[in-house]
């Protein structure tokens, strides 16, 4: 099966934070964990997000094998198994792995797998006013990023 | 758990307009999403709108009417609340006339039709809005210049975009949203950005003009100077459709680029290149924002900008600035019954004699209201009803606003939360959010749309603002409608639709025609674009646009520079907040926990200010504290501070309204106001900065 991923065309991120709030709403998260987070260093913005890495460092670091990568390439965390040791937070090179005090587990981007199952785009990508959040088959996204186009 | 019902509606977390699908389960909104079919937002949403559930279901939200007693706030019934307001208003009217009641709102929130109807039928000419320095001032100035507000025609394939003091992607742009700008830009349009601060758009721009805050009017005249000198104007248009062109040409000559460079700090070659690019690349849009209005130059600057559109042939031309045709629904102004305000009452409007343009668009300046309350001159205001507004945070010279509202004999407010302004009230009327209302949204804007905002839920005892005005009005003996929806039927009547039918249609769009002036002329006394204004002439003002130096600046008040060496650009907009709103929303406050003042790193170094430190910002009127962010993208002589801050998490009265509120620093003295619109100089004054002594206390006080 072709592997999916999430990509941000950083040059077109204008720092509006709509993706962050859309993600929180979709995943019913409170203050604390930010599965996508946009950092400002005016006039540039840097979206920090999960890359759904092959051979994911977070997965490798997890002592209880709570993290897996499914057949579509989506790196998922099983909250039932997670012991909250935060090894994955340190291992992720992007700072994408988050910790949720409410559940005392690590929490991460699941590429909005529920939405994908219903043929809906990830919540962040749906909201983005500059349409700079792409998701889909990793290989094809690379092409798109070279020449980003507006959908519609 | 019940099934999820999806309701199509329209956001109003800013001025609103974005299409939304609200997901409702068991009479609760569990999620909102952008509506891909929306002509305004095309499925996108911003952080403010997306956070609506955290606002609507916030634990601090006031969900029933309240009355202030000696023991503090107490819950009362709607009957009790409305009767109290009506009894007070009637006694004030009997004793001092309806003009002693002030009715006010903040930024446009789709209820002006009902608010004005209530005021007009009450008989008070004293309506206080944000319009004197935001949007309505633009409407007023364009009304007397070209008959209507020329709005950016993003879908008309502009080849050049001038973004003038405006960031439609971060903040509310009125009319069309940032997404339309973005798609026009992405099709390859040239971009000129005029902004004191290097933001996202400045970075993208072909030309970025880093302007000295408040000098936009001079720059506009500088553009005009180039366009005339280099013969880049549309001769056919100016010959046939401009009133006073020759006089205007003479005026523009007073703005040679050397002079404009020294006023605006923009290198003259850059001004020349930008003016050429705008004039030669057709069609071109000029999108301007509130910073041009919140100065003494409000009316003149807007008129000069219209001059640019006219001279370049971009007025009412596809892909330029156009007059959209409204859909066939009753206008806000007809519903408002402006004609029913008796002439003798109209004459009593505070400041109406002086601020003729403000009077023309039916509003008063806050300064006139505060003066009337505090000094009793020309007559005292005794009672007030404020709807969705927080003037002690958002109006210039906040301490005066606070003192005035505190002194008011009786104040009722309509809001969602106990704000610093609501703290001063006697009655609190709990308003519904946009999830809790049926309304025809956006029909006060000038983009040609009317949108169906359908109620998704009811929350507590909250009523939509329209219903509150209506029920108050009925108790005052005014002519209203039986229900909110019958009023909507009346508004929709010309379209042949009922509210029930309109809800299903979703929106109406007026049928667009361009170049309408070729048949009908412009809606001005001369039928032309009045660069020489007959209205201003009649009112005894300079009929030609000019630049007036900012009242408090290195040029006007050099003697202040020792103590206050920096220009304060007050009012940086952020994407998560709208003016004083949203500070209590966890998702948004997490993103921007503190009020931010941006300082150039060199300037910060001079004062020993490190990134992230709390800074005291002082002006001749007071001092406040904000947290420092260092930014190479601003001029070292300029300091940029956020506006609208108060702290809902501080529960005591006032909610920390005077800690970070930048309007404690701004001025509203009569000589600083726009002479016809009374626009307040809310943006620019002089300031100084220093590190706060109580860093630790400031870091700790929120916890
Ligand atoms: S929604 Fe898009 S533009 Fe806005 S912050 Fe996220 S990635 Fe950037
Ligand atoms: S959480 Fe970090 S390490 Fe794990 S897949 Fe995502 S980006 Fe890679
Ligand atoms: S794909 Fe879904 S989970 Fe991942 S950042 Fe976007 S909204 Fe959040």
């Amino acid at each position: 099966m072709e592997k999916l991923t999430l990509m941000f065309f950083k040059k077109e991120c204008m720092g509006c934070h709509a993706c962050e709030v859309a993600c929180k709403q979709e995943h019913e998260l409170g203050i604390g964990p930010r599965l996508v987070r946009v950092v400002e260093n005016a006039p540039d913005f840097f979206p920090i997000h999960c890359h759904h890495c092959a051979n994911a460092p977070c997965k490798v670091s997890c002592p209880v094998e709570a993290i897996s990568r499914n057949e579509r390439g989506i790196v998922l965390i099983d909250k039932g198994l997670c012991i909250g040791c935060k090894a994955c937070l340190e291992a992720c090179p992007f700072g994408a792995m988050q910790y949720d005090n409410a559940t005392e587990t690590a929490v991460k981007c699941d590429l909005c797998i529920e939405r994908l199952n219903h043929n809906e785009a990830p919540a962040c990508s749906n909201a983005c006013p500059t349409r700079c959040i792409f998701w889909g088959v990793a290989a094809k996204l690379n092409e798109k990023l070279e020449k980003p186009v507006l959908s519609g | 758990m019940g099934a999820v019902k999806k309701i199509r509606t329209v956001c109003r977390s800013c001025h609103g307009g974005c299409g939304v699908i609200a997901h409702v389960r068991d009479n609760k909104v569990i999620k909102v999403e952008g509506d891909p079919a929306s002509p305004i937002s095309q499925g996108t949403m911003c952080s403010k709108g997306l956070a609506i559930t955290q606002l609507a279901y916030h634990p601090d939200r006031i969900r029933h009417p309240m009355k202030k007693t000696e023991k503090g706030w107490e819950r009362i019934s709607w009957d009790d609340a409305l009767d109290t307001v009506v009894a007070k208003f009637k006694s004030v009217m009997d004793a001092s006339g309806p003009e002693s009641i002030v009715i006010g709102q903040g930024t446009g929130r789709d209820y002006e039709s009902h608010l004005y109807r209530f005021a007009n039928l009450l008989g008070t000419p004293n309506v206080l809005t944000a319009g004197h320095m935001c949007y309505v001032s633009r409407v007023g100035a364009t009304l007397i210049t070209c008959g209507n507000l020329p709005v950016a025609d993003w879908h008309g394939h502009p080849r050049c975009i001038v973004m003038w003091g405006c960031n439609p992607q971060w903040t509310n742009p009125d009319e069309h949203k940032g997404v339309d700008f973005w798609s026009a830009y992405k099709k390859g349009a040239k971009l000129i950005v005029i902004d004191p601060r290097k933001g996202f758009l400045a970075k993208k721009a072909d030309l970025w003009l880093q302007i000295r805050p408040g000098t936009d009017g001079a720059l506009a005249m500088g553009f005009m100077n180039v366009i005339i000198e280099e013969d880049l104007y549309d001769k056919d248009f100016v010959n046939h459709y401009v009133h006073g062109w020759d006089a205007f040409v003479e005026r523009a000559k007073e703005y040679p680029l050397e002079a404009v460079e020294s006023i605006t700090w923009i290198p003259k070659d850059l001004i020349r290149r930008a003016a050429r690019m705008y004039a030669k690349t057709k069609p071109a849009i000029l999108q301007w924002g509130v910073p041009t209005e919140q100065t003494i130059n409000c009316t003149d600057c807007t008129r000069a900008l219209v001059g640019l559109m006219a001279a370049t042939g971009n007025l009412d031309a596809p892909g330029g600035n156009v007059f959209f045709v409204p859909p066939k629904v009753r206008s806000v102004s007809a519903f408002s019954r402006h004609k029913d305000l008796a002439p003798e009452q109209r004459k009593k409007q505070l400041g109406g004699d002086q601020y003729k343009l403000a009077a023309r668009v039916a509003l008063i300046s806050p300064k006139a209201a505060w003066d009337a309350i505090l000094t009793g001159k020309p007559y005292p205001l005794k009672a007030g009803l404020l709807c969705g507004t927080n003037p002690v945070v958002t109006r210039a010279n906040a301490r005066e606003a606070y003192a005035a509202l505190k002194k008011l004999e009786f104040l009722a407010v309509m809001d969602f939360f106990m704000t610093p302004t609501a703290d001063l009230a006697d009655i609190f009327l709990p308003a519904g959010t946009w999830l809790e209302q049926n309304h025809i949204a956006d029909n006060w804007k000038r983009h040609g749309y009317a949108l169906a905002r359908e109620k998704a839920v009811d929350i507590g005892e909250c009523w939509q603002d329209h219903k509150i005005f209506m029920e108050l009005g009925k108790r005052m003996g005014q002519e209203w409608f039986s229900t909110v929806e019958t009023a909507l039927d009346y508004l929709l009547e010309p379209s042949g639709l009922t509210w029930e039918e309109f809800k299903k249609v979703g929106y109406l769009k007026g049928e667009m025609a361009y170049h309408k002036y070729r048949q009908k002329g412009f809606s001005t006394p001369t039928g032309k674009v009045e660069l020489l204004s007959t209205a201003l002439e009649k009112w005894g003002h300079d009929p030609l646009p000019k630049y007036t130096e900012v009242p408090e600046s290195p040029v006007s008040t050099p003697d202040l520079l020792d103590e206050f060496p920096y220009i304060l650009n007050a009012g940086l907009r952020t994407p998560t907040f709208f003016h004083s709103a949203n500070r209590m929303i966890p998702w948004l406050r997490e993103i921007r926990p503190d009020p931010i003042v941006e300082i150039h790193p060199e300037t910060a170094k001079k004062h020993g200010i490190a990134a992230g430190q709390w800074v005291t910002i002082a002006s001749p009127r007071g001092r406040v504290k904000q947290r420092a962010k260092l930014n190479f993208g601003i001029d070292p002589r300029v300091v940029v501070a956020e506006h609208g801050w108060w702290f809902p998490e501080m529960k005591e009265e006032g909610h920390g309204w005077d800690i970070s509120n930048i309007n404690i620093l701004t001025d509203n003295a009569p000589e600083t106001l726009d002479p016809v619109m009374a626009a307040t100089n809310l943006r620019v004054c002089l300031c100084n900065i220093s590190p706060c002594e109580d860093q630790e206390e400031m870091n700790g006080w929120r916890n």
Side-chain angles (χ1 to χ4, degrees), chain B residues 478-512:
Chain B
Q478 303 176 355
E479 190 191 344
W480 281 85
F481 298 84
S482 56
T483 62
V484 165
E485 291 73 23
T486 45
L488 296 180
D489 288 340
Y490 169 76
L491 272 165
L492 283 162
E493 197 179 49
S495 71
L497 296 174
T498 62
W499 166 246
E500 285 303 316
E501 290 160 348
F502 179 55
K503 244 166 38 180
K504 296 189 189 104
V505 177
Y507 69 89
L508 291 171
K509 181 170 179 13
E511 199 164 327
M512 188 55 184

Short mmCIF file of all heavy atoms in Angstrom, two decimals, chain B residues 478-512:
data_model
loop_
_atom_site.label_atom_id
_atom_site.label_comp_id
_atom_site.label_asym_id
_atom_site.label_seq_id
_atom_site.Cartn_x
_atom_site.Cartn_y
_atom_site.Cartn_z
N GLN B 478 -42.61 50.76 20.90
CA GLN B 478 -42.16 50.95 19.52
C GLN B 478 -42.79 49.90 18.59
O GLN B 478 -43.23 48.85 19.03
CB GLN B 478 -40.63 50.81 19.43
CG GLN B 478 -39.86 51.76 20.31
CD GLN B 478 -38.36 51.49 20.25
OE1 GLN B 478 -37.91 50.55 19.62
NE2 GLN B 478 -37.60 52.33 20.95
N GLU B 479 -42.75 50.22 17.30
CA GLU B 479 -43.30 49.29 16.32
C GLU B 479 -42.25 48.25 15.93
O GLU B 479 -41.21 48.59 15.36
CB GLU B 479 -43.75 50.07 15.07
CG GLU B 479 -44.54 49.22 14.12
CD GLU B 479 -44.74 49.92 12.78
OE1 GLU B 479 -44.52 51.15 12.70
OE2 GLU B 479 -45.08 49.22 11.81
N TRP B 480 -42.48 46.99 16.26
CA TRP B 480 -41.55 45.91 15.93
C TRP B 480 -42.31 44.74 15.30
O TRP B 480 -43.38 44.93 14.74
CB TRP B 480 -40.78 45.46 17.19
CG TRP B 480 -39.65 46.40 17.52
CD1 TRP B 480 -39.75 47.56 18.24
CD2 TRP B 480 -38.27 46.30 17.14
NE1 TRP B 480 -38.52 48.17 18.33
CE2 TRP B 480 -37.59 47.42 17.67
CE3 TRP B 480 -37.53 45.37 16.42
CZ2 TRP B 480 -36.23 47.63 17.49
CZ3 TRP B 480 -36.17 45.57 16.24
CH2 TRP B 480 -35.53 46.70 16.76
N PHE B 481 -41.74 43.58 15.40
CA PHE B 481 -42.33 42.40 14.76
C PHE B 481 -42.68 41.38 15.85
O PHE B 481 -42.20 41.48 16.97
CB PHE B 481 -41.33 41.80 13.77
CG PHE B 481 -40.99 42.77 12.67
CD1 PHE B 481 -40.01 43.74 12.86
CD2 PHE B 481 -41.68 42.75 11.47
CE1 PHE B 481 -39.72 44.66 11.87
CE2 PHE B 481 -41.39 43.67 10.48
CZ PHE B 481 -40.40 44.63 10.68
N SER B 482 -43.50 40.39 15.46
CA SER B 482 -43.90 39.46 16.51
C SER B 482 -42.74 38.56 16.92
O SER B 482 -42.55 38.28 18.08
CB SER B 482 -45.10 38.63 16.06
OG SER B 482 -44.79 37.97 14.84
N THR B 483 -41.93 38.13 15.95
CA THR B 483 -40.78 37.27 16.29
C THR B 483 -39.57 37.72 15.48
O THR B 483 -39.69 38.49 14.52
CB THR B 483 -41.04 35.80 15.91
OG1 THR B 483 -41.24 35.74 14.48
CG2 THR B 483 -42.27 35.23 16.61
N VAL B 484 -38.42 37.19 15.86
CA VAL B 484 -37.19 37.47 15.11
C VAL B 484 -37.39 37.06 13.64
O VAL B 484 -36.99 37.77 12.72
CB VAL B 484 -36.02 36.66 15.73
CG1 VAL B 484 -34.83 36.61 14.79
CG2 VAL B 484 -35.62 37.27 17.07
N GLU B 485 -38.03 35.93 13.45
CA GLU B 485 -38.16 35.39 12.09
C GLU B 485 -39.14 36.20 11.24
O GLU B 485 -38.93 36.32 10.03
CB GLU B 485 -38.57 33.92 12.15
CG GLU B 485 -37.48 32.98 12.69
CD GLU B 485 -37.23 33.11 14.20
OE1 GLU B 485 -38.16 33.57 14.92
OE2 GLU B 485 -36.13 32.78 14.67
N THR B 486 -40.18 36.78 11.85
CA THR B 486 -41.08 37.60 11.02
C THR B 486 -40.35 38.87 10.58
O THR B 486 -40.59 39.38 9.48
CB THR B 486 -42.40 37.98 11.74
OG1 THR B 486 -42.09 38.40 13.06
CG2 THR B 486 -43.36 36.82 11.77
N ALA B 487 -39.42 39.35 11.43
CA ALA B 487 -38.60 40.50 11.01
C ALA B 487 -37.72 40.09 9.83
O ALA B 487 -37.49 40.88 8.90
CB ALA B 487 -37.75 40.99 12.17
N LEU B 488 -37.23 38.87 9.85
CA LEU B 488 -36.39 38.40 8.74
C LEU B 488 -37.22 38.26 7.46
O LEU B 488 -36.75 38.59 6.37
CB LEU B 488 -35.73 37.06 9.10
CG LEU B 488 -34.75 37.11 10.28
CD1 LEU B 488 -34.15 35.74 10.55
CD2 LEU B 488 -33.65 38.13 10.04
N ASP B 489 -38.46 37.80 7.62
CA ASP B 489 -39.35 37.73 6.45
C ASP B 489 -39.51 39.12 5.83
O ASP B 489 -39.51 39.28 4.61
CB ASP B 489 -40.73 37.19 6.85
CG ASP B 489 -40.70 35.69 7.16
OD1 ASP B 489 -39.74 35.01 6.71
OD2 ASP B 489 -41.61 35.21 7.86
N TYR B 490 -39.66 40.12 6.70
CA TYR B 490 -39.82 41.49 6.22
C TYR B 490 -38.55 41.95 5.50
O TYR B 490 -38.61 42.54 4.41
CB TYR B 490 -40.13 42.39 7.42
CG TYR B 490 -40.06 43.88 7.12
CD1 TYR B 490 -41.09 44.50 6.41
CD2 TYR B 490 -38.98 44.64 7.54
CE1 TYR B 490 -41.03 45.86 6.13
CE2 TYR B 490 -38.90 46.00 7.28
CZ TYR B 490 -39.93 46.61 6.56
OH TYR B 490 -39.86 47.94 6.28
N LEU B 491 -37.39 41.64 6.06
CA LEU B 491 -36.12 42.03 5.42
C LEU B 491 -35.98 41.35 4.05
O LEU B 491 -35.47 41.91 3.09
CB LEU B 491 -34.93 41.63 6.30
CG LEU B 491 -34.49 42.64 7.35
CD1 LEU B 491 -33.56 42.01 8.37
CD2 LEU B 491 -33.80 43.85 6.70
N LEU B 492 -36.47 40.11 3.98
CA LEU B 492 -36.29 39.32 2.76
C LEU B 492 -37.36 39.60 1.70
O LEU B 492 -37.21 39.19 0.55
CB LEU B 492 -36.34 37.83 3.10
CG LEU B 492 -35.08 37.26 3.74
CD1 LEU B 492 -35.39 35.93 4.42
CD2 LEU B 492 -33.97 37.07 2.70
N GLU B 493 -38.41 40.28 2.10
CA GLU B 493 -39.59 40.43 1.23
C GLU B 493 -39.26 40.77 -0.23
O GLU B 493 -39.77 40.12 -1.15
CB GLU B 493 -40.52 41.47 1.84
CG GLU B 493 -41.92 41.44 1.29
CD GLU B 493 -42.76 42.51 1.98
OE1 GLU B 493 -42.30 43.68 2.06
OE2 GLU B 493 -43.84 42.17 2.47
N PRO B 494 -38.39 41.76 -0.48
CA PRO B 494 -38.11 42.10 -1.89
C PRO B 494 -37.56 40.94 -2.72
O PRO B 494 -37.67 40.93 -3.95
CB PRO B 494 -37.05 43.21 -1.79
CG PRO B 494 -37.18 43.76 -0.41
CD PRO B 494 -37.64 42.63 0.44
N SER B 495 -36.96 39.95 -2.05
CA SER B 495 -36.37 38.83 -2.79
C SER B 495 -37.43 37.79 -3.14
O SER B 495 -37.18 36.87 -3.92
CB SER B 495 -35.28 38.17 -1.95
OG SER B 495 -35.88 37.46 -0.86
N GLY B 496 -38.61 37.92 -2.54
CA GLY B 496 -39.66 36.92 -2.78
C GLY B 496 -39.48 35.67 -1.94
O GLY B 496 -40.22 34.70 -2.12
N LEU B 497 -38.51 35.66 -1.05
CA LEU B 497 -38.28 34.49 -0.22
C LEU B 497 -38.72 34.76 1.22
O LEU B 497 -38.67 35.90 1.68
CB LEU B 497 -36.79 34.12 -0.19
CG LEU B 497 -36.12 33.69 -1.48
CD1 LEU B 497 -34.63 33.51 -1.25
CD2 LEU B 497 -36.74 32.40 -2.01
N THR B 498 -39.13 33.70 1.90
CA THR B 498 -39.32 33.81 3.34
C THR B 498 -38.04 33.33 4.01
O THR B 498 -37.15 32.77 3.35
CB THR B 498 -40.47 32.90 3.81
OG1 THR B 498 -40.10 31.55 3.53
CG2 THR B 498 -41.77 33.24 3.12
N TRP B 499 -37.95 33.56 5.32
CA TRP B 499 -36.76 33.10 6.06
C TRP B 499 -36.62 31.58 5.90
O TRP B 499 -35.52 31.08 5.67
CB TRP B 499 -36.87 33.51 7.53
CG TRP B 499 -35.88 32.81 8.42
CD1 TRP B 499 -36.17 31.91 9.40
CD2 TRP B 499 -34.45 32.93 8.39
NE1 TRP B 499 -35.01 31.47 9.99
CE2 TRP B 499 -33.93 32.08 9.39
CE3 TRP B 499 -33.56 33.66 7.62
CZ2 TRP B 499 -32.58 31.93 9.65
CZ3 TRP B 499 -32.19 33.53 7.86
CH2 TRP B 499 -31.71 32.68 8.86
N GLU B 500 -37.72 30.86 6.02
CA GLU B 500 -37.65 29.40 5.91
C GLU B 500 -37.08 28.99 4.55
O GLU B 500 -36.28 28.06 4.46
CB GLU B 500 -39.03 28.76 6.12
CG GLU B 500 -39.50 28.74 7.57
CD GLU B 500 -38.54 28.01 8.52
OE1 GLU B 500 -38.07 26.92 8.13
OE2 GLU B 500 -38.25 28.54 9.60
N GLU B 501 -37.48 29.71 3.51
CA GLU B 501 -36.96 29.38 2.17
C GLU B 501 -35.51 29.81 2.01
O GLU B 501 -34.68 29.09 1.46
CB GLU B 501 -37.83 30.05 1.09
CG GLU B 501 -39.21 29.46 0.98
CD GLU B 501 -40.23 30.39 0.30
OE1 GLU B 501 -39.93 31.60 0.12
OE2 GLU B 501 -41.32 29.91 -0.03
N PHE B 502 -35.20 30.99 2.54
CA PHE B 502 -33.85 31.54 2.42
C PHE B 502 -32.82 30.63 3.09
O PHE B 502 -31.72 30.40 2.58
CB PHE B 502 -33.82 32.94 3.03
CG PHE B 502 -32.47 33.61 2.98
CD1 PHE B 502 -31.78 33.75 1.78
CD2 PHE B 502 -31.88 34.12 4.14
CE1 PHE B 502 -30.53 34.38 1.74
CE2 PHE B 502 -30.64 34.75 4.11
CZ PHE B 502 -29.96 34.88 2.91
N LYS B 503 -33.19 30.11 4.24
CA LYS B 503 -32.33 29.18 4.97
C LYS B 503 -31.87 28.05 4.07
O LYS B 503 -30.72 27.62 4.14
CB LYS B 503 -33.16 28.57 6.11
CG LYS B 503 -32.67 28.91 7.45
CD LYS B 503 -33.62 28.62 8.59
CE LYS B 503 -34.45 27.37 8.56
NZ LYS B 503 -35.31 27.27 9.78
N LYS B 504 -32.80 27.56 3.26
CA LYS B 504 -32.46 26.44 2.38
C LYS B 504 -31.57 26.89 1.23
O LYS B 504 -30.70 26.16 0.76
CB LYS B 504 -33.74 25.78 1.85
CG LYS B 504 -34.54 25.16 2.98
CD LYS B 504 -35.70 24.32 2.50
CE LYS B 504 -36.58 23.95 3.69
NZ LYS B 504 -37.83 24.73 3.74
N VAL B 505 -31.80 28.12 0.74
CA VAL B 505 -30.99 28.64 -0.37
C VAL B 505 -29.55 28.92 0.10
O VAL B 505 -28.60 28.71 -0.64
CB VAL B 505 -31.62 29.94 -0.92
CG1 VAL B 505 -30.78 30.55 -2.02
CG2 VAL B 505 -33.03 29.68 -1.41
N GLY B 506 -29.42 29.42 1.33
CA GLY B 506 -28.09 29.65 1.89
C GLY B 506 -27.57 31.06 1.70
O GLY B 506 -27.07 31.67 2.62
N TYR B 507 -27.65 31.58 0.50
CA TYR B 507 -27.23 32.98 0.30
C TYR B 507 -27.82 33.57 -0.97
O TYR B 507 -28.27 32.83 -1.86
CB TYR B 507 -25.70 33.10 0.26
CG TYR B 507 -25.01 32.50 -0.95
CD1 TYR B 507 -24.81 33.24 -2.12
CD2 TYR B 507 -24.54 31.19 -0.92
CE1 TYR B 507 -24.18 32.68 -3.21
CE2 TYR B 507 -23.90 30.63 -2.01
CZ TYR B 507 -23.71 31.38 -3.17
OH TYR B 507 -23.10 30.83 -4.25
N LEU B 508 -27.84 34.88 -1.02
CA LEU B 508 -28.27 35.59 -2.23
C LEU B 508 -27.14 36.50 -2.66
O LEU B 508 -26.42 37.05 -1.84
CB LEU B 508 -29.49 36.46 -1.93
CG LEU B 508 -30.81 35.74 -1.63
CD1 LEU B 508 -31.84 36.75 -1.15
CD2 LEU B 508 -31.33 35.01 -2.88
N LYS B 509 -27.00 36.65 -3.96
CA LYS B 509 -25.97 37.55 -4.48
C LYS B 509 -26.61 38.52 -5.46
O LYS B 509 -27.42 38.10 -6.30
CB LYS B 509 -24.89 36.73 -5.19
CG LYS B 509 -23.77 37.61 -5.73
CD LYS B 509 -22.60 36.79 -6.21
CE LYS B 509 -21.46 37.62 -6.79
NZ LYS B 509 -21.48 39.05 -6.55
N GLY B 510 -26.27 39.78 -5.34
CA GLY B 510 -26.79 40.76 -6.28
C GLY B 510 -26.17 40.54 -7.67
O GLY B 510 -25.03 40.11 -7.75
N GLU B 511 -26.93 40.84 -8.70
CA GLU B 511 -26.37 40.63 -10.04
C GLU B 511 -25.41 41.75 -10.39
O GLU B 511 -25.78 42.92 -10.40
CB GLU B 511 -27.49 40.54 -11.07
CG GLU B 511 -26.99 39.87 -12.31
CD GLU B 511 -28.12 39.41 -13.21
OE1 GLU B 511 -29.19 39.04 -12.68
OE2 GLU B 511 -27.93 39.46 -14.42
N MET B 512 -24.17 41.40 -10.68
CA MET B 512 -23.13 42.41 -10.84
C MET B 512 -23.15 43.05 -12.22
O MET B 512 -23.37 42.40 -13.23
CB MET B 512 -21.75 41.77 -10.60
CG MET B 512 -20.61 42.76 -10.56
SD MET B 512 -20.88 44.08 -9.32
CE MET B 512 -19.46 45.12 -9.61
#
